[in-house]
Amino acid sequence: MSLTAASPSPRRSVTVLFAAAAAVGALIVASPSAQAQGNCYHYGYAGYAQLFTGYNFDGDCYEVQLNTGRHAIPAYAARKVSSVRSWGWYGTETVELSDSYYGGVARIAAGQWVTNLGNMDDKADGVEFR
């Protein structure tokens, strides 16, 4: 009597293949892009600032790169920024939050992690990292 390994049926192979493809598709759909709401991918990278809607570097996040000009903060974070962290190159850079409605401005030195924005808390609608 000889023993041979039974090969899987073509039907079973196709079912497994479709199940694997569906799982990969679900992961791709569930993984938002780097520009999507709530994502910051440059933690610790020199030349990036991260603005958060939460008070302790949580909630939705918006990233700004050094020397890319003034940016309007997207609707999901505009007038909701409550904490900021950044990493500069030389230590002389600043993150400047602005409030176009009241004209307020807050300047935060690069490298500082600020969880209390004082009078600019939940008011910033523009940012520049320079």
Side-chain angles (χ1 to χ4, degrees), residues 12 19 25-26 29 42 46-49 56 59 65 81-82 84 92 94-95 97 99-100 120 125 130:
R12 180 179 169 119
V29 170
H42 295 96
Y48 282 89
N56 195 24
Q65 194 170 6
V81 174
S82 296
V84 175
T92 57
T94 59
V95 177
L97 300 175
D99 173 7
S100 62
M120 283 298 289
D125 55 13
R130 56 183 170 170

Side-chain angles (χ1 to χ4, degrees), residues 55-106:
Y55 287 98
N56 195 24
F57 311 111
D58 56 5
D60 290 328
C61 180
Y62 177 65
E63 283 188 328
V64 179
Q65 194 170 6
L66 182 64
N67 294 325
T68 56
R70 184 162 299 282
H71 300 270
I73 298 173
Y76 69 84
R79 302 199 163 285
K80 299 174 191 164
V81 174
S82 296
S83 55
V84 175
R85 64 184 176 203
S86 63
W87 300 270
W89 287 104
Y90 306 107
T92 57
E93 303 88 354
T94 59
V95 177
E96 184 175 291
L97 300 175
S98 59
D99 173 7
S100 62
Y101 188 74
Y102 292 105
V105 174

